[in-house]
Amino acid sequence: MLKRNYSTIIIGALALVLLFVPEAKAMMQQGLMKLGLFEPKLEKVEPTTQPKSEANYTFEMVYADGKAINMEDLKGKVVFMNFWATWCPPCIAEMPSIQKLYDKVKDDKDIVILTVEVEGKRDKVAKFMERKKLSLPVVYPNSSIPTEFFNGSLPTTVILDKKGNIAHTTMGMADYSGQDIIDFLNELKAMN
């Protein structure tokens, strides 16, 4: 009887930790990602005979050092934008996979990886990035975010082609460390 009570207490305590501690929940979610769950559903990029028009989204972001970047600056590049917040367990869970992606493409001048922190607490973000040993480029919205990019669901990842058109959106957590995402970005890079 006593053993059953201990196991109930332990299971209850674990459930409470997972419920109320974002880091614990993120660790569990990372484990699920390592099992192959939460893969982004990337569709093959089909070349078209019709030239795509350039998108005309207006969105300005700013780095922690104050340097501004906008959508016009990103034209001609494939852009991977991840919208996140430090308090979001699925965001925390996918960050290591985005770091792996960034490490693979950071020297490619035609691919830009941006993590857009939507809460805007720069000191908290700096501590988070340092504690997690992440070197991802973090930007903060400096204008309203187009609803086509982000509707409030965290995390959200948007991939733009070289003309600024949305080529892919994932709402929710995903593992971006695989070769499939690299292939997808390279397919977009090869398109005119």
Side-chain angles (χ1 to χ4, degrees):
M1 179 75 163
L2 193 56
K3 281 186 178 181
R4 190 168 6 143
N5 287 340
Y6 282 133
S7 61
T8 302
I9 291 169
I10 290 171
I11 291 171
L14 284 173
L16 288 173
V17 166
L18 288 175
L19 197 60
F20 294 109
V21 179
E23 298 284 335
K25 189 183 285 186
M27 196 174 348
M28 181 191 72
Q29 291 169 330
Q30 283 175 343
L32 294 173
M33 285 180 8
K34 287 178 182 173
L35 292 174
L37 303 174
F38 303 105
E39 296 292 321
K41 300 197 178 3
L42 302 167
E43 294 184 20
K44 179 111 173 97
V45 179
E46 297 295 335
T48 176
T49 57
Q50 300 297 321
K52 257 188 176 177
S53 61
E54 287 198 13
N56 197 19
Y57 295 110
T58 303
F59 179 38
E60 185 176 90
M61 299 154 279
V62 64
Y63 290 95
D65 67 3
K67 180 184 171 206
I69 185 170
N70 61 46
M71 297 312 297
E72 198 59 36
D73 298 331
L74 298 171
K75 292 266 174 91
K77 300 180 184 305
V78 175
V79 181
F80 176 102
M81 274 192 296
N82 177 265
F83 295 88
W84 70 288
T86 59
W87 52 262
C88 165
C91 301
I92 295 167
E94 72 180 1
M95 277 295 171
S97 77
I98 298 171
Q99 180 68 54
K100 286 179 184 173
L101 172 63
Y102 175 71
D103 290 342
K104 291 175 186 175
V105 302
K106 67 183 174 187
D107 295 326
D108 189 328
K109 64 180 177 47
D110 295 321
I111 298 175
V112 175
I113 306 288
L114 295 173
T115 59
V116 185
E117 204 283 330
V118 298
E119 193 176 22
K121 297 184 178 175
R122 295 181 188 191
D123 290 342
K124 187 176 180 181
V125 171
K127 289 175 185 169
F128 172 86
M129 297 298 280
E130 186 177 322
R131 188 175 74 248
K132 295 290 186 180
K133 296 178 179 32
L134 299 171
S135 62
L136 295 162
V138 178
V139 293
Y140 304 90
N142 203 32
S143 69
S144 60
I145 302 170
T147 56
E148 295 89 347
F149 293 173
F150 178 65
N151 68 4
S153 178
L154 289 175
T156 295
T157 299
V158 177
I159 300 174
L160 306 176
D161 67 17
K162 293 190 305 186
K163 293 187 177 184
N165 296 298
I166 297 173
H168 173 79
T169 302
T170 296
M171 293 167 92
M173 175 178 70
D175 181 354
Y176 296 104
S177 63
Q179 186 60 40
D180 56 339
I181 190 76
I182 298 288
D183 294 343
F184 185 78
L185 295 174
N186 284 329
E187 285 175 25
L188 290 173
K189 195 171 81 167
M191 294 181 73
N192 291 326

